[in-house]
Amino acid sequence: MDVQQYLKALPPAERDMVQPGARLRELTTLRVGGPAALVCPAHNPEQASRFQSLARAQDIPLFVLGGGSNILADDRGFDGVVLKVECDRLLQDDNILTAGAGLDFDHLIARSLDLGLTGLEFASGIPGTLGGAIVGNAGCYGHEIGEFLVDAVILRPDGQIETVGPEEFGFRYRETDLRETGHVVLEARLRMQRGDLPTAIASRAEKIADRRRKHPVDLPSAGSWFRNLPAPAPGQRRQAAGHFLEQAGVQKMHEGDAHVFTKHANMIVNAGQASSADVLALAARMKKAVADKFDLKLIEEVRYLSDATG
Ligand SMILES: Cc1cc2nc3c(=O)[nH]c(=O)nc-3n(C[C@H](O)[C@H](O)[C@H](O)COP(=O)(O)OP(=O)(O)OC[C@H]3O[C@@H](n4cnc5c(N)ncnc54)[C@H](O)[C@@H]3O)c2cc1C
């Protein structure tokens, strides 16, 4: 992309905020990825709209980034605009929270409990932003963020900003329609509860402790690599991809510094200087091991950011 041309078209205040050549490894929890031509942090809907419309006018590819906790970025980087959603206002009206999509999701859960509002504590410790959680319908322990959405302010690819209800999202397992529609989530209203606060606070502490036991806390990762498999019969639970990966014997696999996490076969950790090629090669071996043993095709949950996919 022609960075200078894009910069020239920005108002001076926004020109000062954008970061040419920012390293994607600094913006993703797996700590892999080369430079992005331009990273544009949007603190409010107007800024997001301006960054997006300029990219559209100059025919520049645009990728929306939240906390980067579900992303593998290519070592060659991304020759386009990374729109980093950093809208972070938080308002309370009784049991409804209006929250910026750039708020750290876990921090939002802590803040909601401080305000005496319960419900989201099941998701305590999920990294990333509220926007990323909504787009991927993040969940665990049998609940998902989609259950809480009243409506959201979105930016459409044509530049229109609108408030839409949950029906626009098509919430399903770790997925929404937003990946196809290309809508950017800027803000959301969440319906919280006024439940038993001490129980909710204890539950939050338990969930965080559980994550510390089971997830990589000292090593960079991007969470579960593959989606869980559909339930074998209606009314039953999804089948953990980690179970099949374990049975397929992937635990000791590694490619360069990309390793299968010892405590969770569905996670890849960066033990040092893993490259995107290392991570892709390891994920392909894990997938093949399950296909060979069980004749099952695992599907990636983590998004790949590159010039080809962005
Ligand atoms: C240790 C660890 C544990 C995890 N545990 C869980 C878990 O229990 N449950 C779970 O569901 N996930 C889990 N994850 C995965 C990840 O944290 C979630 O998917 C998270 O919600 C992603 O949010 P993010 O802001 O980091 O999104 P990113 O990784 O930045 O982006 C993910 C996708 O969402 C899009 N996106 C992000 N923000 C917006 C926006 N505002 N508007 C439009 N599109 C947007 C991006 O383009 C990309 O396609 C875990 C990850 C790690 C590292």
Side-chain angles (χ1 to χ4, degrees):
M1 74 174 271
D2 186 336
V3 173
Q4 290 312 322
Q5 194 189 344
Y6 187 93
L7 290 177
K8 226 187 277 170
L10 280 177
E14 275 146 26
R15 202 177 304 145
D16 292 345
M17 288 165 37
V18 302
Q19 301 147 21
R23 305 227 143 236
L24 290 164
R25 72 168 56 94
E26 309 294 336
L27 301 174
T28 54
T29 57
L30 189 58
R31 297 279 179 259
V32 173
L38 209 54
V39 173
C40 300
H43 298 280
N44 55 54
E46 295 69 35
Q47 282 176 349
S49 167
R50 202 146 39 237
F51 290 136
Q52 184 220 43
S53 67
L54 257 183
R56 193 175 53 249
Q58 298 186 12
D59 209 14
I60 295 167
L62 179 131
F63 186 85
V64 185
L65 189 68
S69 64
N70 214 17
I71 304 269
L72 166 64
D74 195 286
D75 290 327
R76 286 162 294 195
F78 177 61
D79 189 26
V81 165
V82 171
L83 174 63
K84 194 156 183 315
V85 178
E86 296 195 353
C87 308
D88 63 354
R89 72 174 186 154
L90 181 64
L91 305 170
Q92 181 194 7
D93 181 7
D94 195 14
N95 66 331
I96 304 286
L97 283 182
T98 300
L103 282 168
D104 179 272
F105 188 37
D106 185 59
H107 187 60
L108 172 65
I109 297 167
R111 295 273 300 274
S112 66
L113 290 170
D114 288 345
L115 294 167
L117 298 172
T118 62
L120 279 178
E121 55 282 354
F122 73 92
S124 295
I126 295 185
T129 60
L130 172 63
I134 291 174
V135 173
N137 195 17
C140 50
Y141 303 107
H143 291 283
E144 301 168 332
I145 180 72
E147 297 163 33
F148 296 79
L149 193 83
V150 178
D151 53 28
V153 179
I154 56 148
L155 171 64
R156 293 189 187 278
D158 65 5
Q160 256 189 300
I161 293 178
E162 266 185 70
T163 300
V164 296
E167 65 287 348
E168 186 92 12
F169 288 77
F171 285 110
R172 51 198 182 274
Y173 171 72
R174 298 295 174 275
E175 194 57 280
T176 60
D177 293 341
L178 266 69
R179 309 228 201 240
E180 288 93 59
T181 58
H183 297 166
V184 184
V185 183
L186 300 172
E187 190 164 86
R189 288 201 304 152
L190 304 171
R191 181 172 291 106
M192 307 294 293
Q193 295 143 21
R194 288 202 181 271
D196 178 344
L197 199 54
T199 304
I201 291 169
S203 166
R204 170 172 167 76
E206 249 171 56
K207 301 291 185 287
I208 289 174
D210 199 35
R211 281 177 182 277
R212 290 214 176 108
R213 275 194 300 273
K214 295 180 181 161
H215 289 177
V217 278
D218 303 328
L219 288 172
S221 81
S224 294
W225 203 266
F226 299 102
R227 291 154 185 265
N228 287 336
L229 290 139
Q236 292 187 9
R237 294 172 62 151
R238 282 187 164 264
Q239 309 171 88
H243 166 76
F244 294 101
L245 285 157
E246 248 173 56
Q247 299 300 311
V250 307
Q251 285 97 326
K252 296 222 162 81
M253 281 184 184
H254 74 99
E255 288 285 336
D257 273 347
H259 289 246
V260 174
F261 180 49
T262 41
K263 293 191 209 164
H264 194 317
N266 193 16
M267 286 190 175
I268 292 176
V269 292
N270 180 356
Q273 300 298 320
S275 65
S276 56
D278 292 335
V279 176
L280 287 173
L282 178 60
R285 280 178 64 198
M286 293 160 74
K287 198 169 173 171
K288 183 170 183 309
V290 169
D292 289 349
K293 188 162 172 92
F294 297 104
D295 198 19
L296 283 174
K297 186 169 184 273
L298 294 179
I299 295 173
E300 286 75 8
E301 186 172 313
V302 172
R303 305 277 140 174
Y304 181 39
L305 167 54
S306 72
D307 284 330
T309 60

